[in-house]
Amino acid sequence: MAPSNAALHEQARRFVTDVLGGRHALSRLIPIALWLGDAVLCGLIIWKIPYTEIDWVAYMEQVSQFVSGERDYTKMQGGTGPLVYPAAHVYTYTGLYYLTNEGKNILLAQQLFAVLYMATLAVVMLCYWQAKVPPYIFPLLILSKRLHSVFVLRCFNDCFAAFFLWLAIFCFQKRQWTLGSIAYSWGLGIKMSLLLSLPAVVVVLFLGRGFGGSLRLASLMGQLQLAVAIPFLATNWRGYLGRAFELSRQFKFEWTVNWRMLGEQVFLSKQFATTLLVLHASVLLMFITARWLQPADRSLPSLVAPMLRGKTPFSSKTEEMRVSSRVTPEYVMTTILSANVIGLLFARSLHYQFYAYLAWATPYLLWTAWPDAPVTYLLWGIQEAAWNVFPSTDISSTAVVNVLVITVAAVFFGAPRPVVKSGPRRGGVKEPGKIR
């Protein structure tokens, strides 16, 4: 607070700085005000901007076949092609099928997706608040033109997947491991794009719940995937696995957002795909060994060797609890979001709806490395502008990839580490992500 005898303008400046920096009681009102303002904006978008048909009709056509009794994934088709999403997608859109008069009431569908958008935004804001992100970052959560388009003008299934990803992050931040695992598994069952975050989810659960606990949660997630897929597996298990989790799918150059600047010949080549896969695995390994395993304060080989023998790598329950205590809300969010962005960086092709996984992740990851607002706002603005270019160009795709590279590098080199090697605070835990 500014001294009482300070000049009026100095008191005003200090007041604004304290509110935006999260050091004033009014700071808590900023996310609420932004959320309410965005609710009004969603209503205006639905009212004023025409709906754009892309996949909704195809979703409804595929669901109508399911409702009619079809259980063979290889026979479920829509206007845009075969059904290529896991079983939770079918169940989720079956609910929308009935709510929207078999998909005919597009306006109601948009309104339902606006509710989904607002629910996701609320969870995102809660995650940010748990991670001690200052209010001056929060405006970036509501300013994306492309994100509003993905949710309320296109009704993509990525919107549901993103909601459950953020719900899982929030549950893990609150140490609700079972609920978080169920939320993540359901989101993965809607679209396998959430596989990009799986390595980080595994690490978070291992450090947060220990070896035995994490195995039980992994089993729970697998059982959920199996349970929802039983009708399709019983009919044609090869067809279900081949379509719902197809990893060899060919990508069309015309729709790519990220690698257009390389040209179609390079984009479609097997050498390029292999290079991306190797780089993805290499960067993940770097993050796992140098960043994500910091709460354990142990090397990767020393952790893996006992687990291969079916034993916990921790010497005692006390050590396991100490490691778990270092799995803070900041650590959970940084780890899972960085895995997601690494995956997006090395993805063969990003389509516009993939922005649902990126738009809300970038502000946080940039802030962890650069708490100064101008840098975060500048890079976010470049990213947003690039994702709003349609169709993508060499310049826009270069911008998309470069911002992803900068974000990944910034997190690796600049984000606070959860364990301090020298001069540790009480319990050896650093306070990452605090307001600076």
Side-chain angles (χ1 to χ4, degrees):
M1 296 294 293
S4 57
N5 60 348
L8 185 60
H9 72 275
E10 178 62 20
Q11 294 185 45
R13 187 190 67 80
R14 287 291 185 90
F15 171 76
V16 172
T17 301
D18 287 344
V19 172
L20 294 179
R23 297 180 292 273
H24 194 280
L26 293 178
S27 300
R28 293 179 175 271
L29 299 180
I30 292 180
I32 297 173
L34 292 171
W35 189 89
L36 292 173
D38 207 0
V40 175
L41 178 59
C42 285
L44 291 174
I45 291 172
I46 294 174
W47 179 32
K48 292 292 187 179
I49 302 178
Y51 163 79
T52 304
E53 170 54 40
I54 298 180
D55 283 337
W56 173 260
V57 171
Y59 293 160
M60 293 298 103
E61 290 171 345
Q62 293 159 356
V63 165
S64 68
Q65 295 163 32
F66 170 73
V67 171
S68 299
E70 183 60 72
R71 297 296 182 269
D72 187 341
Y73 249 58
T74 63
K75 297 179 180 178
M76 299 172 74
Q77 303 280 334
T80 58
L83 175 59
V84 293
Y85 307 115
H89 161 87
V90 176
Y91 298 131
T92 300
Y93 275 83
T94 297
L96 294 173
Y97 177 85
Y98 286 116
L99 287 173
T100 60
N101 187 26
E102 300 179 357
K104 299 181 181 69
N105 192 339
I106 300 295
L107 177 60
L108 178 56
Q110 287 185 270
Q111 293 169 344
L112 292 173
F113 269 85
V115 172
L116 175 64
Y117 172 87
M118 296 309 303
T120 310
L121 177 61
V123 176
V124 171
M125 287 183 166
L126 288 172
C127 290
Y128 269 61
W129 200 261
Q130 286 288 317
K132 302 182 179 70
V133 180
Y136 67 77
I137 296 296
F138 279 68
L140 295 178
L141 303 180
I142 71 166
L143 293 176
S144 174
K145 175 183 176 182
R146 176 59 65 188
L147 194 59
H148 286 91
S149 173
V150 168
F151 272 83
V152 301
L153 296 180
R154 271 78 175 180
C155 303
F156 287 119
N157 61 352
D158 302 84
C159 306
F160 281 98
F163 168 76
F164 285 105
L165 174 63
W166 280 101
L167 182 61
I169 292 173
F170 178 70
C171 290
F172 293 150
Q173 286 181 318
K174 302 294 288 185
R175 308 185 75 79
Q176 298 293 326
W177 308 111
T178 300
L179 290 177
S181 298
I182 292 173
Y184 176 78
S185 186
W186 188 264
L188 179 60
I190 292 174
K191 194 163 186 179
M192 67 174 187
S193 302
L194 264 61
L195 283 173
L196 299 179
S197 302
L198 182 59
V201 171
V202 170
V203 172
V204 167
L205 292 179
F206 166 64
L207 297 180
R209 288 292 291 120
F211 180 59
S214 60
L215 284 180
R216 288 190 291 272
L217 292 173
S219 175
L220 173 64
M221 290 190 286
Q223 290 171 32
L224 178 59
Q225 293 298 319
L226 179 62
V228 298
I230 283 177
F232 310 106
L233 293 171
T235 302
N236 181 356
W237 67 270
R238 287 189 179 89
Y240 175 75
L241 295 178
R243 287 285 175 83
F245 298 97
E246 184 181 2
L247 298 177
S248 60
R249 190 179 308 161
Q250 276 285 54
F251 299 99
K252 293 184 177 180
F253 180 71
E254 60 184 301
W255 298 115
T256 188
V257 177
N258 51 339
W259 296 112
R260 182 175 296 275
M261 71 285 196
L262 298 180
E264 187 169 7
Q265 185 175 356
V266 173
F267 175 83
L268 296 176
S269 68
K270 290 184 178 180
Q271 294 86 348
F272 179 58
T274 302
T275 300
L276 288 177
L277 182 61
V278 171
L279 288 173
H280 187 184
S282 300
V283 174
L284 279 178
L285 184 61
M286 286 172 53
F287 269 79
I288 291 171
T289 56
R291 300 294 298 181
W292 298 349
L293 290 180
Q294 277 286 306
D297 202 16
R298 301 265 296 274
S299 67
L300 181 61
S302 69
L303 293 171
V304 171
M307 290 190 290
L308 292 177
R309 299 192 298 269
K311 298 180 179 179
T312 178
F314 302 116
S315 59
S316 64
K317 194 69 176 177
T318 301
E319 182 187 6
E320 188 174 285
M321 292 177 63
R322 183 168 63 250
V323 170
S324 179
S325 70
R326 294 168 176 164
V327 180
T328 63
E330 298 91 336
Y331 169 83
V332 168
M333 196 155 155
T334 302
T335 303
I336 295 179
L337 293 184
S338 60
N340 178 59
V341 172
I342 292 168
L344 294 175
L345 170 60
F346 296 110
R348 175 81 168 274
S349 181
L350 297 180
H351 294 174
Y352 287 94
Q353 59 266 39
F354 279 54
Y355 203 49
Y357 310 108
L358 180 62
W360 283 319
T362 301
Y364 173 79
L365 293 176
L366 291 175
W367 170 79
T368 61
W370 288 304
D372 295 326
V375 176
T376 300
Y377 271 73
L378 174 62
L379 290 172
W380 178 90
I382 294 172
Q383 173 182 274
E384 175 69 17
W387 279 83
N388 278 290
V389 175
F390 178 81
S392 64
T393 64
D394 289 352
I395 294 176
S396 70
S397 65
T398 300
V400 165
V401 173
N402 282 340
V403 173
L404 285 170
V405 169
I406 292 171
T407 303
V408 171
V411 173
F412 186 82
F413 293 107
R417 294 178 181 269
V419 176
V420 179
K421 290 294 185 181
S422 60
R425 302 186 183 204
R426 184 176 57 184
V429 182
K430 187 177 181 181
E431 299 178 29
K434 61 186 263 186
I435 296 172
R436 290 161 286 189

